[in-house]
Amino acid sequence: MNINFSLLVPEYVLVGVAFAVLAADLLLPRQHRFHLSWLAAGGLVVSAVVVLVQRWDTAEHLYGGLFIADRFGLFFFVFLTVLTAVIVLISHDYVRQHIRQPGEFYALMVFAAVGMVGMAQAGELLTAYVALELLSFSLYVLVAFRREDAHGNEAGVKYIVLGAFSSALLLYGISMVWGATGTTYYAGISEHLALNAGNLDSTLILGLALIFAGLGFKVAAAPFHMWAPDTYQGAPTPVTAFLAVASKAAAFALILRLFTQGLLPALAEWQVLVAVLAVATMVIGNLVAIVQTNIKRMLAYSSVGQVGFLLLGVAALGHVEGGVVIPVTLASDAVMLHLVGYAFANLAAFATVIVVYNHIGTDELSGYSGLAKRSPHLSLVMAVALFSLAGLPFFVGFITKFYLFTAAAESGLLWLAGVAMAASVVSLYYYLMIVKRMFIDDVPESDITSALIGIPRLSWLLLSALLIGTVLLGVYPGPLADAVGAASSAIFSGA
Amino acid sequence: MNGFDDSVLSLLVVLPFATALALILWPGDSDQLRSMKWFSAVVALVSTALVAWILLRFDYTDGSQYQFISETAWLDQLGIGFDLGVDGIAVAMLALTAIAFPAAILVGWNVDARSKDYLILLNLLVGGVYGTFVSLDLFFLFFFYEIAVLPMYLLIGFWGSSTSFPRFTRSKEYSAMKLVLFLVGGSVLIWVSIIAMFVEADLNSFSLLDLQRAGFDESFQNWVFPLLMIGFGLLGGLWPLHTWSPDGHVSAPTSVSMLHAGVLMKLGAFGIIRVGIQTIPEGAEAWAPLLLGMGAVNVIYGSIAAMSQTDLKYVIGYSSVSHMGYVFLGLATMHTLGVTGAVLQMFSHGIMTALMFTLAGAVYGSSHTRDIGALSGLAKVMPVGAFFFAVAGFASLGLPGFSGFVAELLVFLGLFQTYPWVGALAVIGAGITAVYMLRLLAKVYFGETDPRWESLPDLKLNEKLVAGMLALTLLIVGLAPFYLIDIIREGVRHVPTVTG
C-alpha cells in the first residue's frame, strides 16, 4: 500500500494557510484585518503552484485508493484554489464594508478549499463524504455570517437544515451501497456493478438513488433546489458566489469521478434518471428565473438552470452499444469546460453585483436601471457575463455549450441537447431583460444624484480580467481544451 | 493563387471585429464622434474593396466548388477549423453586403445618441454577416450566424422607434425581444441539425467540405432537412414564422432596417442553400414541395398584407416577406434557373429594400410620421426622394430594366419548368405588388400636398448619395445581369439534385 505522506504537501500548505490567517487575525489591529484577503489569496495561489510543481506527472493511488492523485485531481486542485483566491479578492471591498470578522471569514473559505480539493481526489465514498462535510460546515457558517440580517438568518437556517438532511441521505445511501457490495471504493463498486450488470440488488439501487438525491441537494438540482434561492439571496454576496461557482465545481468533480470510476458499468440503470433530472433542473431553473426581481435570486435560479446543463453532461458520460458500455470522454471534457466557463462568467456577474451593492445598497433589479449611464464598465462586464451564461458566441459559454450538446449527441441523447437548447433560449429572455434595464431603460429619477458609480481599483482589475477571460476563452479555447482533455482521460483510464 | 488571395477572406471577417474592438478601446467619447464615424466609414470601404478584389479574382471557369480557401486549425478535439472559402452564391452575397454596409453607415451618419455604441454594434453585426457567408465550417457558420442576430436587440431596443396603432402600441422593446427570441429559437433547430450531422457523419469534423461528401443516408436527410429549412427559413421570413420580421423592420432605425431586411434576412436563405440544399441534397429534394407551398403563401400573403398596411414601413416590411417568397419558390424548384434566380433575387431584394428604407427613413425623419393616410403629395417638396422611391417601387414590382425583373423572371422560368401552377400563382403575386406599390407611390408622393408638409426638406446629402448608389446598382444589374448570373450559376451547378 502506498503511504507516501509527502505527496499531500499541497494540502498541508492549504491547511497551513487557513491557520495562518486565523493567527494573523489575532495579531493584526482591528482596522487592518480586512487586509487578510491578501494572505488568504496569496496562500491559495502558492498551494496551486506547489501542486503543479509536485504532481505534474503523478498518477498515484494513496492508502489503497482512498485518495487518488492524478491529472484530474491536479486540474481541479488548481482550478478550485485559484477560484477561491479570486473569490477572496472579489470579497475584499465587501468584507471591508460589511463583515466584522475578516479573519474567520477568509480562514473558513480556505478550509472550504481544503474540503473541495479532497472531493476532487477522493477515490472512496466515505473520504469523499468527509471532504464534502468539511466544505459544507465551512459554508454553513459563511452563509449565516451577517447574523444581524434577517435574510442572512433565514438563509443560514435553511441551508444548515437542508444541508444536514442531504448529508444524512448521502450517508444512508453509502451504508446501503456498502451493505450490498461490501466496499465503498469506487473501483470496488465498479467491479461489482460490472459483474452484476442488468441484475442489481434492490438495496444497491436504493443506495445509489439516495446518493443521487444527496448529491442533488448539494448541487441544487431540481427537485432538490428549494434551498438555493433563499440561501443565495440571504448569504453575503461573496459567499453566494462561492456557493454558485466553487462548491458546485467541487461537487461536480466528485460526481464525475464517482460516475466514471465507480458507476459507469451500470450506465443503463442511471442514464435515464440523470437525463430526467437534467431536464427538470434546466426547465424549472430557467422558467422560474424569469419572474425574479432580485438579482441574487435570479442568478440563483439561473445557476440551477446551469446545473441542468452540467447534469446533461453527466448523463452523456457513456452509451450502451450491444450491451457494452462505451465511455464518452467528450462528455467529461464538456462538463469540466462548462464549469470553467461558467466560473468566469458567473464570477464576473457576482463581482458586478458586489460593486453595485457596495455603492447603492440593494440587490433589487430596479437598481440596475440605466446602469450603462452610471458605469459603462460595469454594465459591459455584466452584459458579457450574462451573454456568456446564455451561451452566445464570442463568449466562453457558447463553446462550452457546444461541447456539452455535441457530447450529448455522441451518447445518443440528441433529444436532451434539444431540450437544453430550448432552455437556453428561455434563459436568454431573462438575461436580455437585465441587458434592457442596463442599456435601454433610464436611471430612476431619485438616483440621479448618485449618477456615476466609482469602481475600486482591485475590483476594476478583477472585473477586467474576468471579462477578458470570458472573451478570450470564447475565441481561443484550444489550450484549455487540451488541459481538460488530459484531466478527463486520467479518470477514464483509471476506471 | 498568391498569398493575398489566401488571406483575403480572413481579413474580410476579422476587419469588422477589429474595428469594433478599436472603437471600444477608443479613448474619449462625445468629442471623438466625428473621427469614429470617419474611421468606421473608411474601414467599411476597405472591406468593400476586399470584396471587389474577390469579385474580380473569382474564376468562374475554374471547376472547383469553393475558391479562396483558407484553413486554420482551431479546436482539434471537436474537429473544428476556421475554414473559409466562397462559391458563386457566397460571392453574390458578399457583393450585396459590401454595398449595403457602407450605405448603412452613411445613412446612420446623423445618429447622435450613444453613436459610439451604435457603431460598435453595427460592426459586430456586419462581421457576423461576412463570417456566415464565407465560413466553410459548420461551427463557425453557426457562430457568425448568431453574432449577426444578437446586436439587433440593442440596435432596435435603444435606437429604434415604437409604432402607435389606433388601439395599441407596438413598442420597440417588444419588437426587439420578439425578433431575438424568434431567431434564437430558430437557431435551436439549426444547432440540433448541425450536431446531428456531426455525429451521423462520424468524421470528427464540422467542415462543410467533409460533410458535403459524407453521403448521409436518405432517412437521415429526410428528418434533418426540415429542421434546417424551418430554422434558417425563420430568418428568411418564411411563412408562417415571419411575424417577427415586419415588426423588427419597422421598429429598427433606418440604417438597421437596411441591413436587416437587406442583408440579414438573406443569411436565412443562404443557410438553406449552404447547409440545407448543398449538404443535404436528397432531403432538400424530398421536402421541396413543402418549401414551395410555404414560399407561395409568402408571396401571396405578404403582398396582400402589404396592401392593407397604413404605416409606410410596415408596407415595406410585408413587401419584404412577399419578395423573400420568390427566393423560397426559386430554391424549391431545385432547377438551375430557379435557384440562380433565387440567389439573384436575394441580391436584388437586398439592394431594393435598402433603398426603400432609406427613403422611408428620410420621410419619417423630417415629417415624424409614417402614417400613409397623413402623408400626401410629397413629390412637390421632396422631388429627389420621389424619384428614387419610384425607382425602388418599379424595381420592386419587377419592371424590366431593373434587377428585380431579371431575378423574378428566372424564378418564374424555373417554376414553369417544374411547377407551372405555382408559377401562375407567383405571377399573380407580382401583380398585387404592382397594385400596392403604385398606390403607395400615388398616395404618398403625388396628389395634393398637405399644407403641413409644405416646408419639408428633401433628401440630405448622405441620403442622396446612398439612394443614388443603390439605384444605380439596381439599374446596372438589371441591364447587364450576365456577369452576376454567371458567377451565381457557377455556385449553383455543384448541387447534385439541382437539375436543368
Side-chain angles (χ1 to χ4, degrees):
Chain A
M1 186 188 286
N2 185 346
I3 46 168
N4 178 4
F5 280 100
S6 64
L7 202 63
L8 291 179
V9 167
E11 279 78 7
Y12 303 153
V13 171
L14 269 184
V15 177
V17 170
F19 281 110
V21 171
L22 280 178
D25 187 47
L26 294 175
L27 301 176
L28 274 175
R30 183 168 285 280
Q31 67 272 27
H32 291 304
R33 284 184 192 163
F34 67 90
H35 281 305
L36 287 170
S37 57
W38 302 110
L39 179 60
L44 285 159
V45 173
V46 167
S47 75
V49 173
V50 171
V51 80
L52 276 174
V53 171
Q54 192 206 13
R55 292 195 199 146
W56 182 252
D57 256 336
T58 316
E60 286 193 52
H61 290 223
L62 280 181
Y63 322 119
L66 280 184
F67 185 94
I68 302 173
D70 55 7
R71 267 292 168 90
F72 180 83
L74 176 72
F75 176 85
F76 271 102
F77 193 112
V78 174
F79 175 47
L80 292 168
T81 47
V82 171
L83 205 57
T84 312
V86 173
I87 295 173
V88 162
L89 291 179
I90 284 177
S91 56
H92 181 83
D93 294 300
Y94 184 94
V95 168
R96 186 175 186 173
Q97 287 184 25
H98 306 288
I99 298 284
R100 268 191 241 137
Q101 302 93 346
E104 288 149 45
F105 186 87
Y106 292 127
L108 282 167
M109 280 208 172
V110 183
F111 277 124
V114 179
M116 293 196 297
V117 300
M119 288 160 71
Q121 302 179 91
E124 185 259 353
L125 281 171
L126 281 172
T127 314
Y129 174 79
V130 170
L132 179 62
E133 285 302 277
L134 178 55
L135 167 68
S136 299
F137 274 84
S138 311
L139 283 173
Y140 294 152
V141 185
L142 283 170
V143 165
F145 221 82
R146 294 182 71 178
R147 55 178 179 232
E148 69 284 4
D149 180 53
H151 280 301
N153 279 314
E154 184 196 349
V157 171
K158 278 211 169 137
Y159 190 50
I160 202 166
V161 170
L162 286 174
F165 182 65
S166 64
S167 296
L169 285 183
L170 206 52
L171 260 188
Y172 194 32
I174 293 172
S175 73
M176 284 185 162
V177 169
W178 183 79
T181 65
T183 177
T184 53
Y185 289 90
Y186 298 170
I189 297 171
S190 173
E191 264 169 45
H192 182 93
L193 291 175
L195 283 177
N196 300 289
N199 170 30
L200 293 182
D201 193 19
S202 57
T203 320
L204 180 56
I205 291 179
L206 187 59
L208 291 178
L210 285 169
I211 291 178
F212 286 4
L215 291 173
F217 266 111
K218 297 292 180 194
V219 298
F224 315 113
H225 66 286
M226 299 301 188
W227 59 272
D230 292 324
T231 305
Y232 277 41
Q233 184 186 4
T237 313
V239 177
T240 311
F242 195 93
L243 274 173
V245 179
S247 85
K248 218 157 259 184
F252 271 96
L254 192 164
I255 289 174
L256 277 181
R257 199 188 275 282
L258 172 63
F259 277 63
T260 50
Q261 301 192 331
L263 309 183
L264 204 55
L267 178 89
E269 318 280 334
W270 54 258
Q271 188 174 39
V272 177
L273 181 68
V274 176
V276 169
L277 277 185
V279 169
T281 307
M282 54 200 165
V283 170
I284 291 178
N286 284 316
L287 282 181
V288 183
I290 293 175
V291 293
Q292 302 306 317
T293 57
N294 178 293
I295 189 129
K296 280 161 80 178
R297 284 186 83 85
M298 190 223 79
L299 286 172
Y301 279 108
S302 118
S303 82
V304 171
Q306 299 284 345
V307 167
F309 298 135
L310 291 163
L311 285 176
L312 170 149
V314 175
L317 279 171
H319 64 108
V320 183
E321 219 171 88
V324 186
V325 176
I326 318 255
V328 176
T329 42
L330 199 62
S332 69
D333 285 16
V335 171
M336 282 188 260
L337 271 177
H338 195 68
L339 281 171
V340 176
Y342 166 78
F344 268 93
N346 231 16
L347 283 186
F350 276 112
T352 314
V353 172
I354 292 173
V355 175
V356 172
Y357 177 79
N358 285 345
H359 195 84
I360 67 175
T362 174
D363 290 322
E364 291 303 306
L365 278 177
S366 53
Y368 286 75
S369 295
L371 188 69
K373 285 194 189 122
R374 308 173 69 180
S375 171
H377 189 73
L378 279 180
S379 53
L380 178 69
V381 174
M382 190 63 157
V384 166
L386 295 178
F387 285 152
S388 181
L389 288 174
L392 301 184
F394 247 129
F395 310 118
V396 60
F398 180 70
I399 180 71
T400 62
K401 277 193 184 167
F402 205 93
Y403 242 96
L404 271 175
F405 300 159
T406 310
E410 288 273 353
S411 309
L413 296 171
L414 189 63
W415 64 272
L416 186 55
V419 174
M421 290 168 199
S424 288
V425 178
V426 175
S427 75
L428 181 62
Y429 172 75
Y430 60 82
Y431 293 136
L432 275 182
M433 290 310 278
I434 298 182
V435 171
K436 169 178 170 289
R437 267 185 196 280
M438 295 192 299
F439 287 90
I440 300 178
D441 290 357
D442 256 328
V443 183
E445 286 295 331
S446 56
D447 282 345
I448 287 293
T449 43
S450 56
L452 288 179
I453 296 180
I455 310 175
R457 186 174 305 159
L458 175 64
S459 303
W460 196 92
L461 283 175
L462 286 168
L463 286 168
S464 308
L466 291 168
L467 172 73
I468 292 171
T470 309
V471 177
L472 205 62
L473 289 178
V475 293
Y476 189 56
L480 177 67
D482 284 338
V484 160
S488 146
S489 56
I491 39 169
F492 276 103
S493 63
Chain B
M1 293 221 173
N2 64 25
F4 186 65
D5 280 348
D6 291 339
S7 52
V8 63
L9 290 181
S10 325
L11 204 59
L12 185 66
V13 175
V14 171
L15 199 60
F17 295 117
T19 314
L21 186 65
L23 287 170
I24 291 174
L25 299 176
W26 200 300
D29 196 18
S30 47
D31 53 324
Q32 293 279 327
L33 281 183
R34 268 185 77 81
S35 18
M36 285 186 207
K37 280 176 184 167
W38 277 106
F39 175 66
S40 310
V42 168
V43 177
L45 288 176
V46 170
S47 39
T48 304
L50 290 178
V51 172
W53 172 269
I54 295 168
L55 210 58
L56 292 173
R57 301 270 305 175
F58 186 81
D59 181 3
Y60 54 90
T61 56
D62 187 270
S64 54
Q65 187 174 3
Y66 298 103
Q67 301 183 26
F68 297 94
I69 292 181
S70 81
E71 294 178 318
T72 317
W74 190 72
L75 193 63
D76 288 336
Q77 292 88 337
L78 270 190
I80 300 171
F82 187 59
D83 301 339
L84 308 175
V86 287
D87 61 356
I89 300 167
V91 167
M93 292 299 102
L94 289 185
L96 167 65
T97 315
I99 296 169
F101 181 41
I105 293 236
L106 210 55
V107 166
W109 202 259
N110 302 322
V111 168
D112 41 15
R114 298 234 298 259
S115 35
K116 175 177 171 172
D117 300 352
Y118 165 83
L119 289 171
I120 293 169
L121 291 169
L122 224 50
N123 272 296
L124 289 178
L125 189 158
V126 166
V129 170
Y130 276 133
T132 312
F133 286 143
V134 303
S135 287
L136 286 188
D137 184 283
L138 272 185
F139 172 85
F140 275 103
L141 192 140
F142 185 61
F143 179 95
F144 288 121
Y145 178 88
E146 294 255 289
I147 287 180
V149 168
L150 294 163
M152 285 313 240
Y153 180 75
L154 284 174
L155 282 171
I156 294 176
F158 186 77
W159 290 275
S161 56
S162 306
T163 315
S164 297
F165 289 100
R167 260 179 283 158
F168 66 101
T169 301
R170 180 120 306 174
S171 77
K172 55 188 173 107
E173 290 90 350
Y174 170 88
S175 301
M177 186 63 90
K178 182 172 178 181
L179 181 144
V180 169
L181 290 186
F182 259 80
L183 298 186
V184 177
S187 64
V188 167
L189 300 179
I190 302 171
W191 203 347
V192 169
S193 336
I194 289 178
I195 291 178
M197 283 153 79
F198 173 82
V199 174
E200 175 78 16
D202 202 18
L203 299 166
N204 193 35
S205 166
F206 278 101
S207 162
L208 272 170
L209 298 175
D210 293 338
L211 292 174
Q212 290 183 349
R213 282 195 297 263
F216 296 111
D217 66 48
E218 206 177 315
S219 63
F220 178 78
Q221 296 209 13
N222 282 347
W223 77 258
V224 161
F225 186 79
L227 296 187
L228 288 168
M229 187 178 94
I230 306 288
F232 280 115
L234 231 150
L235 181 53
L238 186 63
W239 180 86
L241 299 169
H242 65 282
T243 60
W244 59 272
S245 125
D247 287 338
H249 293 333
V250 172
S251 302
T254 305
S255 52
V256 177
S257 305
M258 290 167 67
L259 282 178
H260 185 209
V263 180
L264 215 63
M265 285 178 88
K266 310 303 176 290
L267 290 186
F270 179 78
I272 294 188
I273 300 174
R274 177 72 92 233
V275 188
I277 298 174
Q278 288 184 337
T279 316
I280 311 283
E282 285 149 34
E285 203 176 25
W287 287 93
L290 180 66
L291 185 62
L292 188 84
M294 289 162 103
V297 179
N298 256 74
V299 170
I300 302 291
Y301 172 86
S303 51
I304 292 176
M307 198 148 58
S308 54
Q309 296 304 314
T310 56
D311 183 295
L312 187 54
K313 273 182 112 178
Y314 267 103
V315 178
I316 309 175
Y318 275 105
S319 99
S320 283
V321 172
S322 154
H323 279 99
M324 287 304 289
Y326 294 114
V327 175
F328 297 129
L329 285 180
L331 295 180
T333 59
M334 301 294 283
H335 186 279
T336 313
L337 283 177
V339 177
T340 308
V343 178
L344 190 62
Q345 169 77 349
M346 283 155 73
F347 177 87
S348 145
H349 171 255
I351 302 288
M352 180 176 81
T353 203
L355 178 57
M356 285 210 172
F357 276 119
T358 308
L359 300 163
V363 170
Y364 180 64
S366 48
S367 71
H368 299 290
T369 180
R370 294 189 304 251
D371 184 3
I372 298 173
L375 295 165
S376 64
L378 295 187
K380 213 171 280 175
V381 286
M382 31 195 334
V384 181
F387 169 73
F388 283 121
F389 200 93
V391 170
F394 290 144
S396 166
L397 58 86
L399 196 73
F402 295 110
S403 60
F405 170 73
V406 188
E408 283 174 23
L409 187 68
L410 284 173
V411 171
F412 293 153
L413 288 177
L415 276 175
F416 283 120
Q417 304 269 355
T418 48
Y419 304 93
W421 283 103
V422 183
L425 211 61
V427 175
I428 295 175
I432 306 178
T433 309
V435 173
Y436 70 78
M437 270 302 159
L438 291 175
R439 263 192 6 190
L440 184 70
L441 197 62
K443 173 74 187 70
V444 172
Y445 285 97
F446 298 101
E448 284 297 302
T449 309
D450 192 302
R452 273 183 293 175
W453 316 127
E454 290 288 359
S455 56
L456 225 53
D458 205 345
L459 298 189
K460 298 190 198 68
L461 180 63
N462 58 344
E463 290 162 348
K464 277 183 195 161
L465 269 173
V466 167
M469 194 173 79
L470 296 175
L472 201 64
T473 312
L474 287 178
L475 202 62
I476 291 177
V477 176
L479 294 177
F482 305 105
Y483 180 65
L484 205 53
I485 288 179
D486 281 344
I487 288 183
I488 294 171
R489 216 172 39 199
E490 172 57 28
V492 171
R493 73 176 181 84
H494 285 279
V495 187
T497 50
V498 171
T499 51

